[in-house]
Amino acid sequence: MLKNKFFMIPLLIAVTFGVILSFKTLPKQYTVNLEGVKYQLGTENNHFTKPITIRIDGKLQHSLTGSKTFKGTIDIDGEKIPVPEVQRGLEIKFLDNGGGPIVYGYIENGRPGTYGYGVLYTNSNFSEVTIAIFQKDETDLSNRGWTSENGQMITAPAANRTEALKISNELMQDYS
């Protein structure tokens, strides 16, 4: 009888630990529609603000090491993505600074290609998002990047530039 109790307690602890880990690492579905704004950073660009809708549909999975991966789609009204529509599925691996590169992989005319749109920052349940949009470098048109001085952003939910900047600053606080 004593031997059975000796084996049952560690077994119960192991099973409880396994159940907790499986709930932590199971992918969670997110489907959100957010109204926000597209705007450009820099005081000289205060006039550039445009309303925009973002649709996010996919699963977010946490690993045992704490890393996060989103698999799904992100649609932004009015944005031109030069990737065939049926190939716009994403796999975004979030970095330690909270950002996840939005990079599309596709095949067109038998040739593989990639298109980097920007970097996604989000809270834990995708109810607040901000995207730093890559732009062409005027000195090197084959290069795309982003700068905090005059980069373009999409942030939701936000009705104006002030709300958008507040959310962006919160979500990007670890950006360096």
Side-chain angles (χ1 to χ4, degrees), residues 73 83-89 105-107:
T73 59
V83 175
E85 204 164 316
V86 296
Q87 298 182 52
R88 291 193 185 166
Y106 63 96
I107 297 175

Side-chain angles (χ1 to χ4, degrees), residues 72-149:
T73 59
I74 299 174
D75 294 315
I76 304 166
D77 284 351
E79 290 296 286
K80 292 182 172 77
I81 309 290
V83 175
E85 204 164 316
V86 296
Q87 298 182 52
R88 291 193 185 166
L90 292 165
E91 182 171 330
I92 300 172
K93 294 182 186 295
F94 288 90
L95 307 173
D96 291 339
N97 69 1
I102 301 172
V103 179
Y104 296 90
Y106 63 96
I107 297 175
E108 193 169 46
N109 299 324
R111 301 175 81 169
T114 60
Y115 177 76
Y117 179 76
V119 179
L120 171 70
Y121 296 84
T122 182
N123 63 358
S124 62
N125 63 3
F126 289 90
S127 64
E128 293 181 332
V129 299
T130 194
I131 300 171
I133 304 169
F134 294 152
Q135 295 174 271
K136 287 197 187 280
D137 182 341
E138 284 104 32
T139 59
D140 179 6
L141 295 179
S142 66
N143 190 20
R144 294 172 48 86
W146 181 85
T147 174
S148 61
E149 284 93 44

Side-chain angles (χ1 to χ4, degrees), residues 36-110:
V37 293
K38 180 177 182 179
Y39 58 101
Q40 189 165 357
L41 299 175
T43 54
E44 66 279 359
N45 299 313
N46 282 341
H47 63 280
F48 179 78
T49 303
K50 173 179 143 184
I52 203 149
T53 301
I54 303 172
R55 282 179 297 291
I56 299 172
D57 186 18
K59 293 184 179 187
L60 182 67
Q61 183 162 18
H62 294 265
S63 74
L64 291 176
T65 61
S67 64
K68 299 184 307 185
T69 302
F70 171 82
K71 292 181 183 178
T73 59
I74 299 174
D75 294 315
I76 304 166
D77 284 351
E79 290 296 286
K80 292 182 172 77
I81 309 290
V83 175
E85 204 164 316
V86 296
Q87 298 182 52
R88 291 193 185 166
L90 292 165
E91 182 171 330
I92 300 172
K93 294 182 186 295
F94 288 90
L95 307 173
D96 291 339
N97 69 1
I102 301 172
V103 179
Y104 296 90
Y106 63 96
I107 297 175
E108 193 169 46
N109 299 324

